[in-house]
Amino acid sequence: MIKKLESYNIVFIGFMGVGKTTISSHIAKLLNKELIETDVYIAEKANMDIPSIFDKFGENYFRDLESEAVAEISKKRGVIISCGGGAVIREKNVLELKESGIIIKLTATPNTVLQRVKGSKERPILNGHMNTEFIASLMEKRDNFYSNAADITISTDGKTVDEVAKECIEKSILFIESK
């Protein structure tokens, strides 16, 4: 069954703190596949961390780097891709990702997200806004982008990493079989 996934990228999208990094890392180990995190890819290429890119050049510049990264990464086959929270805001990124992969939207409640990210300084969009109201508002603004891009949606609330990973693999196989 898992053999069916070999030529597909498995792409994780969703709001920050929903578990994209944790789940994608776990699945990469389970399936013995390469993991590419778009934010890490961008930071390494720019030789600068994401908050510094935002501070020095602004969000639009970062989104341009993100689009370049998505185009490059999408050319690969059979990898696990964990996208930054805003990667699917641009339609061209979604089209690139869909061409080679299955897009899985991970979700969590605003309260769960807050609990997961409250100690982080690596979330430039949340700096000064680390509360459930702001998170809920931003989630609502972005949800259409995530929902329109997703082939599969999976909630991470109240589940173990292994439970979510297995659900992602099972639903990915079913998605491929339905094509």
Side-chain angles (χ1 to χ4, degrees), residues 51 117-124 127 130:
V117 304
K118 66 183 175 186
S120 174
K121 299 286 182 235
E122 298 294 311
R123 316 282 181 171
N127 289 347
M130 203 62 83

Side-chain angles (χ1 to χ4, degrees), residues 61-80:
Y61 179 81
F62 172 77
R63 297 293 170 213
D64 290 342
L65 294 178
E66 187 173 55
S67 292
E68 288 173 25
V70 165
E72 291 168 14
I73 294 166
S74 292
K75 290 181 177 130
K76 294 180 172 268
R77 293 293 179 266
V79 298
I80 309 297

Side-chain angles (χ1 to χ4, degrees), residues 151-164:
D151 297 311
I152 299 165
T153 300
I154 297 172
S155 170
T156 62
D157 285 305
K159 296 176 187 169
T160 67
V161 171
D162 206 46
E163 287 170 334
V164 174

